[in-house]
Amino acid sequence: MNTLRTISVAEFIKLVNETLRLIPSQEFVVEGEISDFRIAQDKWISFDLKDEKEESVLKCFMTTWQLRAQIEDGMRVQVRGTPKVYERYGQFKMNVQEVEPVGEGALKRAYELLKKKLEQEGLFDFSRKRSLPRFPKRIGLITSRDAAAYGDFLQILNNRWGGVSVFHLNVHVQGREAVSDILEAFFYFNEMSDDERPEVLVLTRGGGGLEDLHAFNDETVARAVFGSKIPVVCGVGHERDESLCDFVADVRASTPSNAAERVVPNREEVRYEIEMMCQHVEEHLRDQIGQRSMVVERATNVIWRVISQQNERLKHLRQRFFDVTHVWAPALFDQIEGFEKILRQLDPKRVLARGYGIVTTNGQVLKDVSLLEIGASVGVQLAKGSFESYVTKKENN
Amino acid sequence: MNLMSQKKKIIDFASSFEELEKITQWFDSTENVDVEVGLKKFERGLELASELKKKLSEVENKVEDIKKKFT
């Protein structure tokens, strides 16, 4: 007994921890079901990992920054980390570095939880969706060159439109490096200078299960899409597939080919649109010119009508004038005849015809004998002929 | 160099298209079109349309691989 060494509790725990470090923890993942999941002060996460069949419990500890997936009680997960005995509480715990849901059920649940969280935060809000330029000149393509998505996208792009510069950043779209590759790609494009930066980013890959799509459902990638200065089109897999990036992206395309369709217009449609616009403008102009000539025609018609109306009126007046002549003309003739009669009676020649004469002196009709001198000559006008005589005697009356 | 000229060309497409759209809008929104002005705009529209159609027949897209590898 006295040959035994005495050590302190702390020393013993240290010894245990050193021994635990000999376990090649990096070579294992421990799989179990989560229970008693707790978060303290928004930082410290603790949960129990249990086997369903045997009653074994592994206490786990980690920080919120290490947690990449949404987990909850009852979820089946794989945990990677190092075991440790905590001096203070004498508790054996696993220091977790990574936890990942396993099996479609758990992945689906984790996906749903994260989707709900991001949705509540407003990452999916339609109000923040930006519109894409109609005729982009520069497109940033984030995908794997080896994926079918790459070829599909470019083929449809070429079929539809020309003159675009595509900047391709080759990334892993699945596997361990996928998340960091995609994050770096977003960072790279967003850091480009204003005149170099693409006007739209396309993040795309083919379809797959939740396991394959993990990078497109990763919270950090979803946030990178959300934070991108450049509008993002996300096209993942087939019609029915969805990913969190789809919901965050400004435009959600159903497939890589559809992403190309969303990014560039169809040249035939644009050609048709141009033709329609020209036609529309031409029709408008024709209409206007047609309306103008109608105005001129109408004005001409109006003038002609006015002139012919005046003509008619004049004719009418003349007709009326002649029509009423028979009413007033005879009376006028009678009147004129009356005047003529009077005038005829006043005619001096008629007086002369009755035997009177007109005596003139110096061209003046003589009415007063006192104007005459004895011996002066006077002219006498008779009805027929005239003669000249001298005054021999005069008598004032 | 090639990039710059390509960029310029495409900018022209977008702005030419926009100009054509504006001309169409002008005809739609102007009550009594001045025929003189209208004719000028119509001629400009035809000119733009023919430029645009010429550009539409260019089919080539350019793919540039970004070699930069991050740390």
Side-chain angles (χ1 to χ4, degrees):
Chain A
M1 198 66 181
N2 53 4
T3 56
L4 295 182
R5 273 177 63 203
T6 304
I7 57 169
S8 68
V9 175
E11 278 173 321
F12 180 70
I13 291 176
K14 200 177 161 205
L15 184 65
V16 171
N17 280 337
E18 276 168 15
T19 313
L20 286 177
R21 270 200 282 277
L22 298 176
I23 299 172
S25 326
Q26 295 308 315
E27 292 172 20
F28 304 113
V29 284
V30 186
E31 190 172 317
E33 193 186 294
I34 289 177
S35 71
D36 205 18
F37 178 84
R38 285 160 204 253
I39 300 176
Q41 293 153 7
D42 282 336
K43 275 204 275 301
W44 320 116
I45 295 173
S46 64
F47 58 87
D48 291 349
L49 199 62
K50 292 198 299 191
D51 286 338
E52 287 102 332
K53 287 171 197 146
E54 299 151 64
E55 287 195 354
S56 310
V57 175
L58 176 64
K59 294 216 165 282
C60 294
F61 174 82
M62 70 191 296
T63 65
T64 47
W65 300 293
Q66 290 170 306
L67 187 69
R68 298 287 287 270
Q70 296 292 303
I71 55 175
E72 62 174 6
D73 284 353
M75 193 179 270
R76 204 160 177 78
V77 295
Q78 285 181 342
V79 163
R80 217 160 48 80
T82 49
K84 189 186 170 188
V85 174
Y86 281 77
E87 296 89 342
R88 210 154 167 187
Y89 304 103
Q91 245 182 352
F92 175 77
K93 278 190 183 177
M94 174 80 126
N95 257 343
V96 177
Q97 280 142 16
E98 220 177 296
V99 53
E100 264 178 31
V102 284
E104 277 296 305
L107 280 171
K108 184 121 188 63
R109 184 71 194 130
Y111 170 82
E112 292 300 338
L113 285 171
L114 182 56
K115 183 176 170 185
K116 201 166 151 194
K117 178 182 158 192
L118 298 182
E119 188 169 13
Q120 278 167 352
E121 263 188 62
L123 266 71
F124 303 166
D125 283 1
F126 279 102
S127 59
R128 71 161 289 275
K129 308 262 183 229
R130 293 161 290 190
S131 56
L132 308 180
R134 177 126 194 245
F135 308 109
K137 331 174 246 303
R138 300 161 74 79
I139 297 172
L141 178 60
I142 305 171
T143 193
S144 164
R145 198 198 330 275
D146 306 325
Y150 176 79
D152 289 352
F153 177 82
L154 289 178
Q155 191 197 332
I156 301 298
L157 191 82
N158 288 333
N159 287 351
R160 289 172 69 83
W161 196 245
V164 175
S165 297
V166 178
F167 299 92
H168 173 234
L169 239 165
N170 194 26
V171 295
H172 288 89
V173 290
Q174 62 192 74
R176 281 208 171 276
E177 292 157 273
V179 169
S180 59
D181 276 8
I182 295 171
L183 291 177
E184 280 162 2
F186 270 95
F187 180 78
Y188 177 81
F189 281 126
N190 274 279
E191 285 300 299
M192 285 172 97
S193 62
D194 285 356
D195 54 331
E196 294 245 293
R197 196 186 297 149
E199 298 156 281
V200 54
L201 294 182
V202 176
L203 174 63
T204 188
R205 61 152 284 151
L210 273 174
E211 205 104 30
D212 300 320
L213 295 180
H214 83 94
F216 288 70
N217 289 325
D218 184 89
E219 185 172 349
T220 54
V221 173
R223 289 192 189 280
V225 172
F226 181 76
S228 173
K229 285 186 269 192
I230 310 165
V232 179
V233 177
C234 188
V236 173
H238 315 298
E239 295 287 343
R240 59 185 170 76
D241 289 329
E242 64 166 54
S243 75
L244 294 180
C245 286
D246 281 336
F247 295 115
V248 185
D250 296 278
V251 172
R252 180 187 177 182
S254 55
T255 60
S257 303
N258 182 236
E261 288 165 1
R262 304 297 291 271
V263 166
V264 292
N266 179 318
R267 62 165 69 79
E268 287 318 312
E269 279 168 22
V270 173
R271 197 190 305 276
Y272 180 73
E273 201 177 328
I274 290 168
E275 261 153 34
M276 280 299 107
M277 281 197 277
C278 288
Q279 221 171 337
H280 190 74
V281 167
E282 192 181 330
E283 275 166 20
H284 247 288
L285 195 61
R286 268 186 208 286
D287 261 14
Q288 289 295 330
I289 291 172
Q291 275 175 26
R292 290 293 191 288
S293 51
M294 257 166 65
V295 167
V296 171
E297 211 172 295
R298 244 193 334 254
T300 317
N301 284 344
V302 167
I303 291 167
W304 271 117
R305 207 160 49 231
V306 168
I307 290 173
S308 60
Q309 267 173 9
Q310 294 298 329
N311 238 340
E312 274 307 305
R313 231 182 114 212
L314 194 64
K315 255 193 205 161
H316 181 70
L317 281 174
R318 225 160 54 193
Q319 192 54 49
R320 265 187 66 198
F321 175 79
F322 289 122
D323 286 352
V324 295
T325 313
H326 73 274
V327 178
W328 51 264
L332 192 63
F333 283 132
D334 287 352
Q335 222 176 340
I336 292 170
E337 259 171 44
F339 285 136
E340 209 180 1
K341 215 178 274 176
I342 292 166
L343 283 173
R344 234 180 285 141
Q345 278 164 7
L346 289 174
D347 188 350
K349 284 183 186 143
R350 284 176 69 100
V351 182
L352 296 176
R354 294 213 299 271
Y356 294 96
I358 299 169
V359 182
T360 58
T361 174
N362 299 326
Q364 298 275 319
V365 175
L366 190 64
K367 289 174 187 167
D368 188 350
V369 81
S370 62
L371 296 173
L372 287 178
E373 301 292 327
I374 299 292
S377 80
V378 293
V380 179
Q381 174 75 50
L382 300 177
K384 277 186 181 168
S386 60
F387 62 91
E388 209 177 286
S389 66
Y390 295 96
V391 180
T392 53
K393 189 180 159 195
K394 65 173 191 176
E395 235 171 78
N396 283 329
N397 230 358
Chain B
M1 179 59 201
N2 188 16
L3 245 170
M4 280 309 289
S5 61
Q6 192 165 10
K7 194 173 158 190
K8 188 165 174 272
K9 184 187 77 189
I10 310 297
I11 281 174
D12 281 344
F13 190 92
S15 60
S16 297
F17 192 88
E18 202 176 309
E19 195 184 337
L20 182 59
E21 275 181 324
K22 278 202 181 122
I23 289 175
T24 313
Q25 273 170 19
W26 183 84
F27 274 98
D28 269 343
S29 58
T30 311
E31 276 287 308
N32 284 303
V33 168
D34 179 329
V35 176
E36 281 295 309
V37 179
L39 265 173
K40 262 187 203 131
K41 285 197 184 273
F42 176 59
E43 274 169 23
R44 175 69 184 142
L46 287 185
E47 195 185 327
L48 286 168
S50 101
E51 278 173 24
L52 286 169
K53 281 195 253 179
K54 210 184 293 165
K55 266 167 199 156
L56 275 181
S57 44
E58 291 168 13
V59 287
E60 212 178 308
N61 290 310
K62 202 168 121 261
V63 180
E64 196 174 302
D65 274 301
I66 295 170
K67 294 281 188 290
K68 187 178 161 81
K69 194 60 204 166
F70 321 95
T71 48

